[in-house]
Amino acid sequence: MNAPEKRQADVAQGLLVEDVGGPAARAGIEAGDVLLAINGRAVDSVAQVREQLKAHPKQVALLLLRDGNRIFVPVKLG
């Protein structure tokens, strides 16, 4: 997310979900969601997401911002 998008969403960090497939789609993740954290660790880059997925290959808990609400979504990966 660029600075104006972060201000609009009122977040300091996060990644905007643009496309969804696989386990994330089955868990209910939607385009337009903002990924704030994985397993309690804030994310602000795709590299951080990959690092967390590699460290937790079976399941992760995602903290998302959707329509102004913060929600946790468990995602089974393997």
Side-chain angles (χ1 to χ4, degrees):
M1 295 177 71
N2 60 36
E5 290 171 329
K6 289 178 184 178
R7 278 193 301 277
Q8 182 179 357
D10 195 26
V11 295
Q13 94 292 326
L15 297 171
L16 181 63
V17 177
E18 293 181 352
D19 189 30
V20 185
R26 288 190 293 276
I29 310 292
E30 301 174 358
D33 288 344
V34 177
L35 176 60
L36 300 173
I38 300 176
N39 292 336
R41 294 185 186 236
V43 293
D44 203 25
S45 72
V46 174
Q48 290 172 325
V49 172
R50 288 184 180 135
E51 179 182 306
Q52 285 299 309
L53 295 178
K54 186 176 180 180
H56 305 279
K58 301 257 185 214
Q59 184 169 337
V60 292
L62 305 182
L63 175 60
L64 301 173
L65 180 66
R66 179 183 293 161
D67 299 326
N69 299 305
R70 293 174 186 246
I71 58 172
F72 281 99
V73 177
V75 178
K76 290 187 180 185
L77 301 171

